[in-house]
Protein backbone atom coordinates (compact mmCIF):
# COMPACT_ATOMS: atom_id res chain seq x y z
CA UNK A 1 0.00 0.00 0.00
CA UNK A 2 2.82 2.39 0.85
CA UNK A 3 4.51 1.62 -2.46
CA UNK A 4 1.29 2.55 -4.26
CA UNK A 5 0.52 5.71 -2.27
CA UNK A 6 4.01 7.21 -2.07
CA UNK A 7 4.26 8.14 -5.77
CA UNK A 8 0.80 9.74 -5.56
CA UNK A 9 1.77 11.78 -2.49
CA UNK A 10 5.02 12.85 -4.16
CA UNK A 11 3.06 13.73 -7.31
CA UNK A 12 0.68 15.97 -5.33
CA UNK A 13 3.65 17.58 -3.58
CA UNK A 14 5.94 18.08 -6.59
CA UNK A 15 3.42 18.74 -9.36
CA UNK A 16 0.60 20.52 -7.53
CA UNK A 17 1.64 22.03 -4.19
CA UNK A 18 5.19 23.26 -4.77
CA UNK A 19 4.63 24.95 -8.18
CA UNK A 20 1.40 26.67 -7.12
CA UNK A 21 1.98 27.53 -3.47
CA UNK A 22 5.74 27.88 -3.38
CA UNK A 23 8.73 26.09 -1.92
CA UNK A 24 8.49 27.89 1.43
CA UNK A 25 4.80 27.52 2.24
CA UNK A 26 3.57 24.33 0.55
CA UNK A 27 4.13 22.05 3.57
CA UNK A 28 1.46 23.81 5.61
CA UNK A 29 -1.21 22.98 3.02
CA UNK A 30 -0.10 19.47 2.05
CA UNK A 31 -2.45 17.69 4.52
CA UNK A 32 -5.44 19.55 3.08
CA UNK A 33 -4.41 19.01 -0.54
CA UNK A 34 -3.74 15.30 0.00
CA UNK A 35 -7.05 14.91 1.81
CA UNK A 36 -9.13 16.44 -0.95
CA UNK A 37 -7.18 14.62 -3.68
CA UNK A 38 -7.64 11.16 -2.18
CA UNK A 39 -11.13 11.87 -0.87
CA UNK A 40 -12.46 12.98 -4.25
CA UNK A 41 -10.62 10.26 -6.16
CA UNK A 42 -11.69 7.39 -3.88
CA UNK A 43 -15.30 8.60 -3.71
CA UNK A 44 -15.40 8.90 -7.50
CA UNK A 45 -14.11 5.33 -7.78
CA UNK A 46 -16.77 4.08 -5.33
CA UNK A 47 -19.39 5.82 -7.45
CA UNK A 48 -18.44 3.63 -10.40
CA UNK A 49 -19.21 0.35 -8.61
CA UNK A 50 -22.68 -0.50 -9.97
CA UNK A 51 -24.26 -2.23 -6.96
CA UNK A 52 -25.43 -1.36 -3.45
CA UNK A 53 -24.07 0.17 -1.18
CA UNK A 54 -22.00 2.02 -3.77
CA UNK A 55 -23.47 3.05 -7.15
CA UNK A 56 -24.04 6.62 -6.04
CA UNK A 57 -21.39 9.19 -6.66
CA UNK A 58 -20.74 11.56 -3.79
CA UNK A 59 -19.22 14.27 -5.98
CA UNK A 60 -22.28 14.10 -8.22
CA UNK A 61 -24.12 15.86 -5.39
CA UNK A 62 -24.02 19.66 -5.63
CA UNK A 63 -24.22 20.05 -1.85
CA UNK A 64 -21.11 17.94 -1.35
CA UNK A 65 -19.12 19.87 -3.94
CA UNK A 66 -20.35 23.09 -2.30
CA UNK A 67 -18.90 22.00 1.04
CA UNK A 68 -15.54 21.08 -0.54
CA UNK A 69 -15.40 24.42 -2.35
CA UNK A 70 -16.42 26.28 0.79
CA UNK A 71 -13.58 24.66 2.73
CA UNK A 72 -11.13 25.76 0.03
CA UNK A 73 -12.63 29.26 0.25
CA UNK A 74 -12.15 29.32 4.03
CA UNK A 75 -8.55 28.05 3.79
CA UNK A 76 -7.78 30.67 1.14
CA UNK A 77 -9.48 33.51 2.99
CA UNK A 78 -7.97 32.73 6.39
CA UNK A 79 -4.45 32.31 5.03
CA UNK A 80 -4.53 35.33 2.71
CA UNK A 81 -1.68 37.71 3.52
CA UNK A 82 -1.65 41.51 3.41
CA UNK A 83 -0.67 41.51 -0.26
CA UNK A 84 -3.71 39.37 -1.10
CA UNK A 85 -6.10 41.62 0.80
CA UNK A 86 -4.30 44.73 -0.47
CA UNK A 87 -4.85 43.53 -4.02
CA UNK A 88 -8.55 43.10 -3.34
CA UNK A 89 -9.18 46.43 -1.62
CA UNK A 90 -6.50 48.53 -3.32
CA UNK A 91 -5.68 47.01 -6.70
CA UNK A 92 -2.13 48.08 -7.63
CA UNK A 93 -1.68 50.04 -10.82
CA UNK A 94 -5.34 51.07 -11.04
CA UNK A 95 -6.34 54.75 -10.90
CA UNK A 96 -8.05 55.86 -7.68
CA UNK A 97 -11.25 56.79 -9.50
CA UNK A 98 -11.68 53.13 -10.52
CA UNK A 99 -11.58 51.87 -6.92
CA UNK A 100 -15.40 51.99 -6.46
CA UNK A 101 -15.70 49.66 -9.45
CA UNK A 102 -12.69 47.42 -8.80
CA UNK A 103 -13.36 46.62 -5.14
CA UNK A 104 -16.76 44.99 -5.82
CA UNK A 105 -15.30 43.18 -8.85
CA UNK A 106 -12.45 41.78 -6.74
CA UNK A 107 -14.85 40.75 -3.96
CA UNK A 108 -17.10 39.01 -6.49
CA UNK A 109 -13.95 37.33 -7.84
CA UNK A 110 -13.27 35.89 -4.38
CA UNK A 111 -16.61 34.07 -4.52
CA UNK A 112 -16.54 33.03 -8.18
CA UNK A 113 -13.39 30.94 -7.68
CA UNK A 114 -14.97 28.45 -5.24
CA UNK A 115 -18.20 28.58 -7.26
CA UNK A 116 -16.26 27.50 -10.36
CA UNK A 117 -14.64 24.70 -8.33
CA UNK A 118 -18.05 23.51 -7.17
CA UNK A 119 -19.73 23.55 -10.59
CA UNK A 120 -16.73 22.05 -12.43
CA UNK A 121 -16.53 18.99 -10.20
CA UNK A 122 -20.29 18.46 -10.03
CA UNK A 123 -20.92 18.91 -13.75
CA UNK A 124 -18.09 16.70 -14.95
CA UNK A 125 -18.99 13.80 -12.69
CA UNK A 126 -22.72 14.12 -13.34
CA UNK A 127 -22.19 14.32 -17.11
CA UNK A 128 -20.51 10.91 -17.23
CA UNK A 129 -23.33 9.31 -15.29
CA UNK A 130 -25.96 10.93 -17.51
CA UNK A 131 -24.20 9.64 -20.63
CA UNK A 132 -24.11 6.10 -19.23
CA UNK A 133 -27.79 6.35 -18.26
CA UNK A 134 -28.63 7.62 -21.76
CA UNK A 135 -26.79 4.74 -23.39
CA UNK A 136 -28.64 2.19 -21.27
CA UNK A 137 -31.91 3.97 -22.01
CA UNK A 138 -31.41 3.34 -25.74
CA UNK A 139 -32.53 -0.25 -25.14
CA UNK A 140 -35.88 1.01 -23.85
CA UNK A 141 -36.20 3.81 -26.39
CA UNK A 142 -35.78 1.45 -29.35
CA UNK A 143 -37.89 -1.20 -27.56
CA UNK A 144 -35.62 -4.01 -28.67
CA UNK A 145 -32.84 -6.08 -27.18
CA UNK A 146 -30.93 -6.04 -30.48
CA UNK A 147 -29.49 -2.65 -29.56
CA UNK A 148 -28.19 -3.95 -26.21
CA UNK A 149 -24.78 -5.21 -27.50
CA UNK A 150 -24.02 -1.79 -28.99
CA UNK A 151 -25.37 0.01 -25.95
CA UNK A 152 -23.44 -2.31 -23.61
CA UNK A 153 -20.20 -1.76 -25.53
CA UNK A 154 -20.59 2.02 -25.30
CA UNK A 155 -21.46 1.77 -21.58
CA UNK A 156 -18.33 -0.31 -21.00
CA UNK A 157 -16.25 2.26 -22.89
CA UNK A 158 -17.78 5.14 -20.90
CA UNK A 159 -17.22 3.28 -17.62
CA UNK A 160 -13.54 2.87 -18.43
CA UNK A 161 -13.41 6.53 -19.42
CA UNK A 162 -15.02 7.38 -16.08
CA UNK A 163 -12.03 5.77 -14.33
CA UNK A 164 -9.85 8.39 -15.99
CA UNK A 165 -12.33 11.16 -15.21
CA UNK A 166 -12.41 10.12 -11.53
CA UNK A 167 -8.67 10.69 -11.18
CA UNK A 168 -8.63 13.72 -13.45
CA UNK A 169 -11.32 15.55 -11.47
CA UNK A 170 -9.51 14.87 -8.20
CA UNK A 171 -6.36 16.30 -9.81
CA UNK A 172 -8.12 19.38 -11.21
CA UNK A 173 -9.91 20.21 -7.95
CA UNK A 174 -6.66 19.83 -5.99
CA UNK A 175 -4.69 21.84 -8.57
CA UNK A 176 -7.16 24.73 -8.56
CA UNK A 177 -7.37 24.70 -4.76
CA UNK A 178 -3.56 24.90 -4.59
CA UNK A 179 -3.58 27.70 -7.17
CA UNK A 180 -6.13 29.74 -5.19
CA UNK A 181 -4.25 29.14 -1.94
CA UNK A 182 -0.98 30.06 -3.66
CA UNK A 183 -2.47 33.34 -4.87
CA UNK A 184 -3.52 34.15 -1.31
CA UNK A 185 -0.18 33.37 0.37
CA UNK A 186 2.12 34.62 -2.39
CA UNK A 187 4.76 37.08 -1.28
CA UNK A 188 5.17 39.98 -3.67
CA UNK A 189 8.51 41.64 -4.16
CA UNK A 190 8.36 45.34 -3.45
CA UNK A 191 11.03 47.36 -5.20
Amino acid sequence: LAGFLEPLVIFVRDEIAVPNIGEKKYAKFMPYLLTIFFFIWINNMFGLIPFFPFSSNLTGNIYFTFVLSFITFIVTTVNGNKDYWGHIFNTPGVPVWLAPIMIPVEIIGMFTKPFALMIRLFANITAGHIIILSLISLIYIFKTTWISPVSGAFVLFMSVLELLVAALQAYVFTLLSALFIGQAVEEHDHH
Side-chain angles (χ1 to χ4, degrees):
L1 183 63
F4 175 72
L5 291 178
E6 184 178 0
L8 293 173
V9 171
I10 290 171
F11 172 77
V12 170
R13 182 191 70 194
D14 293 344
E15 301 298 325
I16 297 176
V18 172
N20 292 300
I21 298 174
E23 192 74 39
K24 295 178 185 175
K25 297 186 178 184
Y26 81 91
K28 177 180 179 182
F29 302 102
M30 276 299 291
Y32 175 65
L33 295 175
L34 288 170
T35 300
I36 59 173
F37 178 79
F38 284 109
F39 191 64
I40 292 171
W41 185 40
I42 290 169
N43 279 306
N44 286 344
M45 299 295 276
F46 279 155
L48 296 175
I49 299 171
F51 52 82
F52 186 80
F54 307 108
S55 72
S56 176
N57 208 327
L58 197 55
T59 53
N61 184 337
I62 192 79
Y63 298 114
F64 178 75
T65 58
F66 168 77
V67 170
L68 286 178
S69 301
F70 184 71
I71 293 169
T72 297
F73 174 73
I74 295 297
V75 169
T76 303
T77 304
V78 167
N79 289 291
N81 60 17
K82 64 179 173 45
D83 291 328
Y84 174 73
W85 291 107
H87 181 79
I88 289 174
F89 292 109
N90 185 19
T91 308
V94 174
V96 176
W97 60 273
L98 276 179
I101 298 170
M102 289 306 296
I103 292 172
V105 167
E106 291 291 334
I107 291 172
I108 291 170
M110 284 176 51
F111 293 102
T112 56
K113 290 174 187 175
F115 182 76
L117 271 179
M118 173 184 73
I119 296 299
R120 178 179 284 115
L121 180 59
F122 168 72
N124 285 312
I125 297 302
T126 304
H129 284 53
I130 290 173
I131 290 171
I132 289 173
L133 180 63
S134 300
L135 290 168
I136 291 172
S137 298
L138 289 176
I139 298 168
Y140 300 100
I141 292 170
F142 288 112
K143 298 179 184 172
T144 179
T145 57
W146 292 104
I147 196 77
S148 61
V150 175
S151 179
F154 280 117
V155 167
L156 182 63
F157 171 74
M158 280 305 299
S159 296
V160 172
L161 191 61
E162 285 285 300
L163 291 172
L164 174 67
V165 171
L168 187 64
Q169 289 308 313
Y171 168 74
V172 169
F173 193 95
T174 307
L175 176 73
L176 291 175
S177 294
L179 181 69
F180 299 153
I181 293 167
Q183 290 173 346
V185 300
E186 180 182 23
E187 294 292 336
H188 295 284
D189 295 329
H190 297 288
H191 300 286

